[in-house]
Amino acid sequence: MKKALLNPIVLCCSFIFCFATLADLSGKWCGIIKTPDGQELQATYNFKVDGVQLTGTAESAAGVVTIDSGKIMGNNFSFKVTVDGNDYPHKGTLYDDSCGVDIDFGYETVHTTLLHDTTK
């Protein structure tokens, strides 16, 4: 009898933990992207989470672009941005206080760390 109740309780707790983690990705995240050619770009991502879908915008000195094809899988997420007709896939992991993000430039992948911007 106790085993029969334990499985649903553990499953329920897992879903609660997963949804709590997803909610933490929403909001404004900032970091510096060092491009393969050595430039440093200040970037701001405004993430919006809806279930397992990730949308929002990415901003830099070059302008604002939309986040497309965004997905969340536990603490991992992926999306792409399109700049001047070129797609740049992103893959990331959400941590307690930051996000690690790998950006595919086609011929090289760069890693950056984003910090949650809690200023209003």
Side-chain angles (χ1 to χ4, degrees):
M1 179 78 170
K2 289 182 183 180
K3 276 189 173 182
L5 290 175
L6 184 62
N7 286 339
I9 291 171
V10 169
L11 186 61
C12 183
C13 289
S14 297
F15 281 124
I16 291 170
F17 174 76
C18 185
F19 284 116
T21 301
L22 296 178
D24 289 344
L25 189 57
S26 289
K28 188 175 183 180
W29 294 82
C30 303
I32 297 175
I33 301 169
K34 189 168 186 176
T35 63
D37 63 1
Q39 294 183 40
E40 291 188 354
L41 300 173
Q42 177 69 40
T44 301
Y45 295 86
N46 296 293
F47 293 133
K48 297 178 184 173
V49 175
D50 183 12
V52 295
Q53 293 186 6
L54 178 63
T55 60
T57 60
E59 302 175 40
S60 72
V64 179
V65 294
T66 59
I67 291 173
D68 299 314
S69 304
K71 298 176 187 172
I72 300 174
M73 299 133 306
N75 282 355
N76 298 312
F77 58 94
S78 63
F79 61 92
K80 72 175 181 173
V81 297
T82 303
V83 179
D84 296 330
N86 298 309
D87 291 338
Y88 297 98
H90 291 54
K91 290 183 180 180
T93 301
L94 175 64
Y95 300 102
D96 289 337
D97 60 349
S98 64
C99 290
V101 180
D102 293 321
I103 305 167
D104 183 355
F105 281 88
Y107 54 92
E108 188 173 335
T109 299
V110 299
H111 181 81
T112 192
T113 300
L114 304 176
L115 301 176
H116 199 215
D117 183 354
T118 57
T119 61
K120 299 289 176 183

